[in-house]
C-alpha cells in the first residue's frame, strides 16, 4: 500500500457516519535506527471534514503569514482532527473505518 | 475512485462548454465577418508598402524587406482562406464576397511582384536608377491595390 | 572595482535577459494596435516580476531549494503534479516560440525561410546547454541581447510627439477601432509576458547553480531591481516604436518582419543589423533559459540530480528531459504552425498559470523552517498578496476573454 491509496479516502466511524476525508498522514521519525535516520513510524491520519487537499504547511501553529492565506486554509480545514493508528479499525479500498470510542486529537502541530 | 471520476467529469464538462462556445462563434456571413479578414489584408498590404518604401531609401536590407513581403503574402492567403470558409446565402452578400476576394487576389499579385523585386534588389545598390524604377513600379501596384480595397471596405461599411 | 564590474555585468545581463520573443511580439502588437495605452500593464508586470524573482532568489539562497522543489514539497505529490503538468506545457510552448523566434530573426537576416533555420537553432541551443558554462552562457546572451536598446535609440531618432505618447500612456483609453475585450485580453497577455513563470524557475535554479549564499542576496537584489525595470523600459520602447510608425499607418503587427520596420525606418540598415543581432541573442538566451527551466522543473519535481554544475553524465535524466523538450518544440514548429501565434498563446497561458508558481513561493518565503530569520517582511507580504489578487484575476479572466474576443482578433 502506498500513501496515495489512503489520501483522499472517506473516513467513517464504526456506525458508518461520514466524518471527513484523509487529508494527511502523520509520521514520527523515532522507530528503529536506519542507515541515516531512524525509520519513520506512522502515527496516525489527519481527517478533514470538507477537503482532502493539502494544508500547504499551515497545520503548524506558528505559521501565520501571509495572514489571509493562512486564514483561508485554516477555514477550509476547520474541524480537522488527528486519529492515532491504534484507533483505526480498517483501511479499506474505499474508506477508512475508525474504532468505536476513538479519540480525536488536535491536528495542529506545535511548532 | 468516485472522486477522481467526478473531477474528470467536471473537467470534461468544462472542455465541452469551451468547445461549444468556440464553435458557437462560427462565421455568420455579412459585412461583419468580412471585416476581420479585410482589416488583416489592409494591414498586410500597408506593411509591405512600408517595406518597399524603406528599401527605396536604402533603410532596410533586401532580405528583411522580402521577408516582410513574403510574410504579408502569407497573411493575405490566410485571410482569403477564411473568406472562402464563409457561405453567403443572399445575392448581395455573394457579390460583396466576390468583390473582396477579387481585391485580395489583386493584392496577392502585387505582393508577389513586390517580393520578387525586393529579393532581386539584393545584388545591386538600391540607389541604382534601374532598381529604383522597379521598386517604384511595384510600389504603385501595391498602392493601387490598397486603394481598391479601401474603397471596397468603405462601400461595405467596414472601418 | 571588480565588485562594481560584477554589479554592472549583472544589471546589463538582467536587462538583456528580460526581453524575450513574448515581450518582443506582445509589445509590438500592442503598440501597433493600442499605442501606449497599455504601458501601465508593463509597469505592473515588471514590479511583479521584481517582487517574486527577489523572493524566489531569497528562498533559493537561504534554503538551497529552487522553486519547483518548493512547489513539490509544499503542495504534495498530486497538486504538485498538476502544477508540473501545466508549467511544463507552458514551458514547452515558450521553448517552441523562442526557437521559432531565433529562426525568424535569422530569416530576416538572410532571406532564407525560417523553417530551414529551425534545425540549426535546435542544434545550437542544445550544444550550448550541453557544453557551455552557466555563467558564460548567461552573460554572453544577456550582453549581446542588450543591443535591443536600439529600440530606444530608434524611438529618439523617430522624433515622436512625446506629449502624445505620454498622453496615451498616462490617460489610457481604448481607441475607436478596437474593442474593450481585446484591450483587456492584451493587458493579460502583456502581464503574462512580463511575469512568465519560467523566469522564476530559471532565476531560482540559477541561484542554486551559482551557489548563492545569503551574502550574495544584495547583489542579486540590485541586478533584479535595476535590470528588470530597465528591461521593462525597453519593452515600452518596443511598443512606442510600433505606436509611432505602425499605428498611424494602419499596420497591426502579426509577424516579426513588421516588428523591425520602425527601427529600419529610424536608423537604416545599421540599426536593423543591430536589432536582428539583439533579437537572435535575446531569443537564443530565452531558448536556453526555457529549455533549462523545463529540465529544472521536471528534475526538481521527481528528485533527479540536476544542474549544469554537474557533468551531464551525473545528471543524465535532466539532460535527456531537455533534449526531449527541444525535440518536441521543433516537432511543433515542423507542423508549420506560425511561431508568432505560438508566442501569443504562450504568454496568455503563462498568465493563466501564474498563481500555480507564485502562491507556493509566497507561502514558503513565509515559512521559518525554510527561511529562518529571512522570512518575508510585512511590506513584502502585503505587496505579494496584492499581486496574488491581480494574478488570480488575470488568470481567471484570461480564458473567457480569449473566447469572447477570438484571441484578441
Amino acid at each position: 500500500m502506498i500513501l496515495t491509496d489512503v489520501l483522499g479516502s472517506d473516513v467513517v466511524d464504526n456506525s458508518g457516519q461520514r466524518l471527513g476525508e484523509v487529508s494527511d498522514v502523520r509520521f514520527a521519525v523515532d522507530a528503529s535506527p536506519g542507515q541515516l535516520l531512524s525509520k519513520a513510524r506512522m502515527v496516525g491520519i489527519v481527517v478533514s471534514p470538507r477537503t482532502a487537499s493539502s494544508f500547504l504547511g499551515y497545520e503548524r501553529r506558528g505559521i501565520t503569514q501571509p495572514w489571509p492565506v493562512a486564514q483561508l486554509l485554516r477555514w477550509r480545514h476547520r474541524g480537522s482532527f488527528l486519529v492515532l493508528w491504534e484507533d483505526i479499525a480498517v483501511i479499506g479500498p474505499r474508506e477508512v473505518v475508525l474504532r468505536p470510542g476513538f479519540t480525536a486529537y488536535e491536528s495542529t502541530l506545535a511548532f | 475512485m468516485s472522486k477522481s471520476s467526478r473531477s474528470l467529469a467536471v473537467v470534461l464538462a468544462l472542455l465541452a462548454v469551451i468547445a461549444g462556445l468556440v464553435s458557437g462563434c462560427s462565421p455568420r456571413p455579412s459585412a461583419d465577418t468580412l471585416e476581420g479578414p479585410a482589416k488583416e489584408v489592409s494591414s498586410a498590404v500597408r506593411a509591405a508598402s512600408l517595406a518597399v518604401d524603406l528599401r527605396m531609401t536604402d533603410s532596410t536590407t533586401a532580405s528583411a524587406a522580402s521577408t516582410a513581403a513574403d510574410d504579408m503574402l502569407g497573411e493575405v492567403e490566410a485571410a482569403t482562406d477564411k473568406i472562402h470558409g464563409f457561405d453567403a446565402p443572399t445575392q448581395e452578400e455573394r457579390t460583396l464576397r466576390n468583390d473582396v476576394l477579387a481585391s485580395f487576389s489583386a493584392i496577392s499579385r502585387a505582393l508577389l511582384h513586390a517580393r520578387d523585386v525586393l529579393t532581386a534588389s539584393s545584388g545591386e545598390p538600391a540607389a541604382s536608377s534601374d532598381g529604383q524604377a522597379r521598386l517604384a513600379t511595384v510600389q504603385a501596384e501595391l498602392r493601387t491595390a490598397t486603394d481598391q480595397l479601401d474603397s471596397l471596405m468603405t462601400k461595405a461599411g467596414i472601418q | 572595482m571588480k565588485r562594481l564590474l560584477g554589479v554592472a555585468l549583472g544589471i546589463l545581463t538582467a536587462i538583456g535577459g528580460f526581453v524575450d520573443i513574448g515581450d518582443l511580439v506582445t509589445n509590438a502588437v500592442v503598440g501597433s494596435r493600442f499605442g501606449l495605452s497599455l504601458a501601465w500593464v508593463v509597469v505592473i508586470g515588471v514590479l511583479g516580476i521584481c517582487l517574486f524573482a527577489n523572493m524566489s532568489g531569497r528562498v533559493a539562497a537561504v534554503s538551497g531549494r529552487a522553486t519547483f522543489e518548493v512547489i513539490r514539497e509544499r503542495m504534495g505529490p498530486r497538486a504538485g503534479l498538476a502544477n508540473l503538468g501545466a508549467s511544463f506545457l507552458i514551458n514547452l510552448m515558450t521553448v517552441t516560440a523562442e526557437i521559432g523566434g531565433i529562426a525568424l530573426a535569422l530569416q530576416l537576416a538572410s532571406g532564407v525561410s525560417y523553417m530551414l533555420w529551425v534545425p540549426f537553432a535546435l542544434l545550437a541551443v542544445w550544444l550550448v546547454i550541453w557544453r557551455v558554462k552557466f555563467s558564460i552562457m548567461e552573460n554572453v546572451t544577456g550582453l549581446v541581447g542588450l543591443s535591443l536598446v536600439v529600440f530606444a535609440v530608434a524611438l529618439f531618432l523617430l522624433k515622436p510627439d512625446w506629449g502624445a505618447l505620454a498622453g496615451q500612456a498616462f490617460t489610457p483609453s481604448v481607441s475607436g477601432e478596437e474593442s474593450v475585450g481585446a484591450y483587456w485580453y492584451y493587458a493579460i497577455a502583456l502581464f503574462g509576458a512580463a511575469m512568465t513563470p519560467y523566469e522564476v524557475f530559471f532565476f531560482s535554479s540559477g541561484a542554486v547553480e551559482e551557489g548563492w549564499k545569503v551574502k550574495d542576496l544584495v547583489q542579486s537584489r540590485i541586478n533584479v531591481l535595476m535590470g528588470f525595470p530597465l528591461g521593462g523600459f525597453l519593452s515600452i520602447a518596443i511598443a512606442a516604436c510600433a505606436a509611432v510608425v505602425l499605428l498611424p499607418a494602419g499596420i497591426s503587427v502579426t509577424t516579426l518582419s513588421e516588428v523591425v520596420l520602425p527601427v529600419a525606418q529610424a536608423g537604416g540598415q545599421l540599426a536593423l543589423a543591430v536589432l536582428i543581432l539583439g533579437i537572435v541573442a535575446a531569443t537564443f538566451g530565452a531558448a536556453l533559459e526555457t529549455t533549462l527551466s523545463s529540465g529544472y522543473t521536471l528534475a526538481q519535481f521527481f528528485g533527479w540530480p540536476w544542474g549544469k554544475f554537474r557533468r551531464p553524465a551525473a545528471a543524465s535524466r535532466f539532460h535527456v528531459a531537455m533534449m526531449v523538450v527541444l525535440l518536441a518544440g521543433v516537432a511543433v514548429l515542423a507542423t508549420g504552425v506560425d511561431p508568432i501565434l505560438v508566442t501569443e498563446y504562450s504568454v496568455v497561458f503563462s498568465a493563466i498559470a501564474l498563481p500555480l508558481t507564485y502562491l507556493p513561493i509566497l507561502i514558503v518565503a513565509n515559512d521559518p523552517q525554510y527561511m529562518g530569520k529571512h522570512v518575508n517582511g510585512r511590506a513584502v507580504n502585503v505587496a505579494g498578496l496584492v499581486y496574488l489578487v491581480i494574478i488570480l484575476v488575470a488568470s481567471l479572466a484570461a480564458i473567457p476573454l480569449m473566447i469572447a474576443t477570438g484571441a484578441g482578433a
Side-chain angles (χ1 to χ4, degrees):
Chain A
M1 178 181 245
I2 57 173
L3 268 183
T4 320
D5 298 335
V6 190
L7 286 171
S9 44
D10 282 338
V11 179
V12 296
D13 64 14
N14 65 317
S15 65
Q17 172 80 26
R18 187 175 174 282
L19 299 170
E21 294 167 29
V22 181
S23 83
D24 204 354
V25 178
R26 284 280 156 78
F27 290 92
V29 187
D30 60 0
S32 59
Q35 274 184 333
L36 206 60
L37 284 167
S38 300
K39 283 184 179 155
R41 172 179 64 85
M42 181 171 162
V43 175
I45 56 174
V46 175
V47 182
S48 188
R50 287 162 200 87
T51 173
S53 64
S54 163
F55 281 78
L56 298 183
Y58 290 93
E59 68 275 22
R60 291 163 296 167
R61 199 178 299 148
I63 312 289
T64 53
Q65 292 297 329
W67 187 81
V69 178
Q71 291 305 312
L72 188 73
L73 282 160
R74 296 242 158 88
W75 174 77
R76 190 94 176 95
H77 284 283
R78 64 194 182 278
S80 61
F81 54 90
L82 172 72
V83 179
L84 297 187
W85 175 249
E86 297 79 43
D87 284 338
I88 299 173
V90 187
I91 295 185
R94 286 278 157 73
E95 52 187 23
V96 176
V97 185
L98 303 184
R99 294 223 161 95
F102 69 90
T103 322
Y105 290 94
E106 177 73 31
S107 69
T108 47
L109 290 167
F111 54 90
Chain B
M1 205 62 238
S2 66
K3 248 184 119 75
S4 60
S5 58
R6 198 170 61 206
S7 47
L8 188 70
V10 170
V11 169
L12 284 179
L14 266 177
L15 282 178
V17 169
I18 290 173
L21 280 172
V22 170
S23 61
C25 307
S26 65
R28 215 176 56 255
S30 70
D32 285 350
T33 49
L34 296 178
E35 179 176 348
K39 279 187 170 170
E40 284 160 25
V41 171
S42 149
S43 155
V45 68
R46 284 177 163 80
S49 270
L50 178 55
V52 173
D53 273 344
L54 292 176
R55 184 65 194 142
M56 285 173 86
T57 57
D58 208 16
S59 292
T60 187
T61 59
S63 315
S66 64
T67 303
D70 192 44
D71 285 349
M72 295 311 114
L73 200 57
E75 293 289 311
V76 178
E77 273 167 21
T80 308
D81 287 347
K82 265 187 220 166
I83 291 197
H84 276 302
F86 304 155
D87 44 20
T90 69
Q91 183 61 45
E92 196 185 343
E93 281 162 357
R94 261 198 297 281
T95 317
L96 178 60
R97 194 184 72 166
N98 290 342
D99 288 350
V100 170
L101 282 174
S103 159
F104 282 10
S105 70
I107 288 175
S108 279
R109 245 187 337 272
L111 284 171
L112 261 174
H113 294 155
R115 186 187 66 182
D116 293 345
V117 169
L118 286 168
T119 311
S121 75
S122 67
E124 64 206 33
S128 79
S129 59
D130 226 25
Q132 284 290 341
R134 273 195 294 270
L135 285 169
T137 315
V138 292
Q139 183 62 286
E141 194 184 352
L142 284 170
R143 293 260 155 81
T144 316
T146 312
D147 292 343
Q148 194 193 350
L149 177 66
D150 283 351
S151 62
L152 194 59
M153 282 167 76
T154 319
K155 204 174 77 188
I158 304 171
Q159 270 173 348
Chain C
M1 186 62 208
K2 199 169 170 201
R3 245 198 102 125
L4 200 68
L5 219 67
V7 171
L9 184 70
I11 295 173
L12 293 180
T13 49
I15 304 171
F18 179 81
V19 176
D20 72 343
I21 188 78
D23 295 290
L24 205 59
V25 168
T26 318
N27 277 290
V29 171
V30 163
S32 73
R33 291 179 57 177
F34 304 94
L36 280 190
S37 62
L38 279 165
W40 59 273
V41 179
V42 177
V43 175
I44 292 183
V46 166
L47 289 178
I49 191 71
C50 285
L51 179 72
F52 281 100
N54 250 326
M55 218 185 282
S56 71
R58 183 155 42 88
V59 170
V62 175
S63 70
R65 284 181 183 78
T67 297
F68 230 87
E69 293 174 317
V70 162
I71 290 178
R72 169 66 183 79
E73 287 183 21
R74 260 300 142 245
M75 299 187 81
R78 275 202 245 173
L81 190 65
N83 193 334
L84 176 73
S87 305
F88 187 79
L89 273 180
I90 290 161
N91 238 325
L92 180 61
M93 275 175 91
T94 318
V95 171
T96 310
E98 306 291 353
I99 293 180
I102 303 173
L104 285 173
L106 290 173
Q107 177 180 10
L108 281 178
S110 66
V112 175
S113 165
Y114 79 94
M115 279 297 221
L116 298 174
W117 287 111
V118 167
F120 173 77
L122 164 83
L123 196 68
V125 169
W126 175 72
L127 274 177
V128 169
I129 284 181
W130 185 260
R131 297 293 308 176
V132 179
K133 250 180 72 180
F134 187 85
S135 54
I136 295 178
M137 176 190 102
E138 264 303 273
N139 291 336
V140 170
T141 54
L143 285 180
V144 183
L146 207 56
S147 36
L148 289 177
V149 169
V150 71
F151 271 114
V153 177
L155 184 60
F156 279 95
L157 293 176
L158 286 168
K159 298 193 188 66
D161 178 352
W162 295 102
L165 282 181
Q168 290 172 13
F170 291 109
T171 50
S173 64
V174 189
S175 69
E177 292 259 311
E178 302 287 352
S179 71
V180 178
Y183 180 86
W184 286 105
Y185 180 73
Y186 277 104
I188 290 174
L190 268 184
F191 188 62
M195 289 201 66
T196 31
Y198 86 80
E199 290 176 48
V200 164
F201 298 143
F202 181 75
F203 192 73
S204 65
S205 306
V208 178
E209 292 260 20
E210 293 179 325
W212 286 6
K213 297 283 172 291
V214 176
K215 66 176 170 55
D216 302 315
L217 281 176
V218 179
Q219 154 108 52
S220 93
R221 195 165 296 162
I222 296 173
N223 291 352
V224 166
L225 293 185
M226 296 285 293
F228 284 1
L230 287 171
F233 172 73
L234 212 54
S235 297
I236 295 180
I238 297 172
C241 278
V244 171
V245 174
L246 304 178
L247 177 64
I251 300 168
S252 54
V253 168
T254 47
T255 67
L256 194 64
S257 53
E258 290 167 304
V259 177
V260 304
L261 288 174
V263 174
Q265 176 169 337
Q269 294 199 6
L270 180 65
L272 181 65
V274 174
L275 173 60
I276 293 177
L277 179 69
I279 297 179
V280 173
T283 49
F284 194 83
L288 297 174
E289 294 181 2
T290 45
T291 308
L292 279 165
S293 289
S294 9
Y296 289 144
T297 50
L298 269 181
Q300 288 165 9
F301 180 87
F302 290 110
W304 304 336
W306 57 272
K308 275 183 56 57
F309 62 91
R310 294 191 167 90
R311 282 177 302 104
S316 51
R317 282 171 290 189
F318 171 64
H319 275 277
V320 169
M322 290 192 291
M323 280 181 219
V324 171
V325 166
L326 279 173
L327 287 174
V330 168
V332 173
L333 287 173
T335 62
V337 64
D338 179 8
I340 299 296
L341 206 63
V342 177
T343 307
E344 291 190 10
Y345 278 104
S346 76
V347 293
V348 174
F349 280 104
S350 292
I352 295 172
L354 288 178
L356 298 177
T357 310
Y358 292 115
L359 177 64
I361 294 176
L362 184 63
I363 289 178
V364 168
N366 276 291
D367 192 328
Q369 282 188 350
Y370 285 87
M371 301 299 291
K373 63 183 168 63
H374 296 282
V375 289
N376 276 355
R378 202 178 165 74
V380 174
N381 263 343
V382 170
L385 282 169
V386 169
Y387 267 95
L388 205 60
V389 172
I390 300 177
I391 284 168
L392 271 174
V393 170
S395 165
L396 292 175
I399 295 240
L401 273 175
M402 183 188 280
I403 294 168
T405 63

